[in-house]
Amino acid sequence: MSASRCCFNGFEWDGQPDGEVVPFPTSSNQAYKTGTNPDVAILFVHDLVGWSFGNARLLADHFAKEIDATVFLPDFLNGEEIDKRVLELEPEEWASNGIDVWGMVERNSRQIRQPEIFASAKKLRSEYKKVGAIGFCWGGWAVFQLGAKGNNLVDCIITGHPSLLTKEDIDTVDVPVQLLAPEHDAAFTPELKNHFWQVMQARGDLVFDYHHFAGMQHGALVRGDPNKPGERRAMTRAKNAAVGFFAEWLHDV
């Protein structure tokens, strides 16, 4: 999948994140850290809008407080920041406004960024008793890889409207998985949705949780407009679903 309008649909929320920026040795630069639980960590793999995007940090704050976890949102784009106007402009306007989306995608491919993301999960695994991972859009493929059979990097994963995901990623996942899926999504296609359902049901031994968001577009769960009733409800449902899933699999119940 190349970058497209669907990957940059969205709205930037108001609000002030209350975590802190800390050095994170395994990432290219730094990480946003929020929460103080010494035993439970969540690795948040951002989308192509990046780690500094306010929406992602505000979500991380919610997860830290409501799940009782320490959440890390590292920079996985090697310090590169995309112009936030990409949320408002059409694809044919990107280049004329100096926004190099295509180059950014190539510089941050799966092959280039996977080792760094794996190293981050390994670091958290060595320091915390339980580790979960969540990824939206570009981060979706990454959490499936972290949860793949034999990797032993995380205890559970969540993804919302994943992109760059393959059937093999779905076939090899081996930890409890939650999928948050808008109805309309050019990246997470009906074919991939059907494949996910078929594989999960055939497995039988793997816990999975699937949430369908009728009428919603790709990106709505992390970049939805809170002034639109349908999108506000979808974001709230997605956040609450993620909180419940992580609370179950990252805490002894």
Side-chain angles (χ1 to χ4, degrees):
M1 184 210 74
S2 60
S4 64
R5 171 73 268 165
C6 81
C7 287
F8 296 103
N9 282 336
F11 187 89
E12 187 165 12
W13 309 334
D14 294 327
Q16 185 63 43
D18 56 20
E20 61 179 335
V21 173
V22 299
F24 201 73
T26 61
S27 71
S28 300
N29 293 274
Q30 304 174 94
Y32 177 75
K33 177 185 178 183
T34 179
T36 59
N37 191 315
D39 297 322
V40 177
I42 295 171
L43 180 64
F44 190 145
V45 187
H46 54 72
D47 60 18
L48 276 175
V49 184
W51 78 298
S52 67
F53 189 43
N55 297 12
R57 294 188 177 191
L58 291 169
L59 263 182
D61 288 343
H62 275 287
F63 294 150
K65 293 172 184 175
E66 298 181 41
I67 299 163
D68 184 19
T70 303
V71 182
F72 292 86
L73 173 60
D75 169 20
F76 289 124
L77 298 178
N78 196 33
E80 188 168 8
E81 293 280 338
I82 197 162
D83 191 324
K84 300 303 185 295
R85 290 179 300 161
V86 76
L87 299 177
E88 304 169 357
L89 298 171
E90 295 300 321
E92 57 269 21
E93 300 176 295
W94 291 342
S96 62
N97 282 274
I99 302 174
D100 182 19
V101 169
W102 318 113
M104 187 175 189
V105 172
E106 292 178 2
R107 291 188 293 275
N108 297 284
S109 67
R110 287 177 53 134
Q111 292 75 17
I112 291 172
R113 293 300 169 213
Q114 185 184 70
E116 188 174 30
I117 294 171
F118 270 47
S120 297
K122 288 177 182 177
K123 174 179 170 60
L124 296 183
R125 177 60 96 190
S126 71
E127 297 177 355
Y128 292 84
K129 294 179 181 179
K130 291 288 186 74
V131 180
I134 186 167
F136 292 91
C137 190
W138 181 86
W141 67 267
V143 298
F144 267 82
Q145 285 285 293
L146 293 175
K149 186 176 181 64
N151 285 342
N152 192 34
L153 293 172
V154 294
D155 295 291
C156 59
I157 63 170
I158 300 173
T159 183
H161 37 72
S163 63
L164 302 178
L165 193 67
T166 68
K167 290 182 178 179
E168 183 179 4
D169 293 329
I170 295 170
D171 294 342
T172 56
V173 70
D174 201 42
V175 298
V177 53
Q178 181 182 80
L179 217 157
L180 309 171
E183 179 180 2
H184 307 293
D185 194 336
F188 189 47
T189 62
E191 181 182 6
L192 283 173
K193 291 175 181 175
N194 288 335
H195 186 75
F196 177 85
W197 270 103
Q198 291 167 5
V199 169
M200 294 300 111
Q201 292 181 84
R203 282 284 301 271
D205 61 337
L206 186 64
V207 173
F208 76 98
D209 189 18
Y210 188 99
H211 291 260
H212 173 75
F213 294 86
M216 294 298 103
Q217 304 282 339
H218 180 99
L221 307 182
V222 72
R223 298 192 299 270
D225 185 345
N227 294 315
K228 294 181 179 179
E231 293 188 12
R232 174 184 286 274
R233 176 173 291 179
M235 290 189 295
T236 301
R237 282 184 55 215
K239 186 269 294 179
N240 289 343
V243 167
F245 193 78
F246 273 145
E248 179 177 1
W249 294 102
L250 297 180
H251 292 281
D252 294 328
V253 296

